[in-house]
Amino acid sequence: MEDYKVWAEGVLQKVREKMDWCSEKNRDKIPYTTDGLGNYDDRSDETKEWSIDNGINWWTNGFWGGIMWLLYQDTKKEKYADIARISEQKLAKCFEIYYGLHHDVGFMFLPTAVADYRLTGNKEAKRLAMHGANLLAGRFNPAGNFIRAWNQTGNDDTRGWAIIDCMFNISLLYWASEESGDPRFRHIAMRHADTTLNNFIRPDGSVRHIVEFDPETGDMVKSYGGQGYEEGSAWTRGQGWAVYGFANSYAHTGKQEYLDAAKRCAHYCIANLPESGIIPVDFRQPKEPAWEDSCGACVIAGGLLEIAKHVPELEKDMYVNAAVKILKAIAETRADWGKDCDAIVKNCTSAYHSPEHHFTMVYADYYFIEALYKLTGTGILLW
Ligand code: GLY
């Protein structure tokens, strides 16, 4: 067996031990981050339905369920399916509330309802996921061939905003077409992916976070630095959404341009990978303060491993080696394996300019665990 598989299996053993108690401790929650005492918070509060930041509509609310399904398919322990379904049932409430829902229904329902349906054939889960896909399709603007990202928040007119992260959400549309036999979801996904390819990916493989289109004419208006350092920079998690997202689009459609785009963004990441394997928040941020984003690191690693599945044998090593370097840096220097903290992955950052840096984020744990299963070849693809 390859060395990296042995290594990943050793780390997965620590994941299994941690998730065994952590899943039960947090079974009724939908966590995002840990508090000062290392306890998970809970974003499943329906009374906060209008707030995309705190309530049931919070975009990361699918990842706890996703971790449970990853552990379920590995261990076959029913408790993980039970806990995953607690998240799924709480998320169902989003459709009743409707207001506040956004393009991140993909991130929310692929690792929960779609995973449930794929693994167990649960028809109720399929109904929920199809509901999400229809909602996502309804956000498509044919004038510019893009999916609108966020709803109106603050003073920004976001009607024409698309963001790189959506490359993950469109997997819900691919799934809906594959499941229903109706190609219109896939057509929307591919139009959005084409728009992203043409307007977000720079010639050097770095990626824009937010691009604004005129919602009436579809013309590109401008781009924004978003969660990265500044306009023109390279937000690392956005690089990850592009690398992994285009690889997913290739897997669903076979369109060569998507794999080429994923590789171009991946090569930019590999060329800028620090010797330490520790990923900054932005590849073009100043040297100090040295803000890190372990979450972006895990997303990039997952994307590199996804590309490795689709390239000739001779090319695989470059992607796998870079992913292993990143994951080793996390497992050996940025992971908490103890009982004092519910999360595993430390030093995540939501946005370069946000006041807080270096905290835990549940989706960092998700992508870390998922990448380990990719290395051992025993995982399921939820995207
Ligand atoms: N999708 C938002 C983020 O990556 O923070």
Side-chain angles (χ1 to χ4, degrees), residues 32 58-60 63 103-104 107 150 163-166 169 209 227 235 237-238 241 293 295 299 349-351 361 363:
Y32 168 57
W58 176 233
W59 78 274
T60 69
F63 289 104
H103 73 147
D104 286 324
F107 278 118
W150 299 315
I163 68 173
I164 191 65
D165 324 33
C166 194
N169 289 322
H209 182 197
Q227 286 163 255
W235 176 45
R237 200 159 63 251
W241 297 139
D293 181 23
C295 182
V299 178
T349 298
S350 172
M361 303 199 301
Y363 59 118

Side-chain angles (χ1 to χ4, degrees), residues 237-254:
R237 200 159 63 251
Q239 291 293 138
W241 297 139
V243 172
Y244 201 162
F246 276 106
N248 288 336
S249 270
Y250 173 74
H252 285 286
T253 66

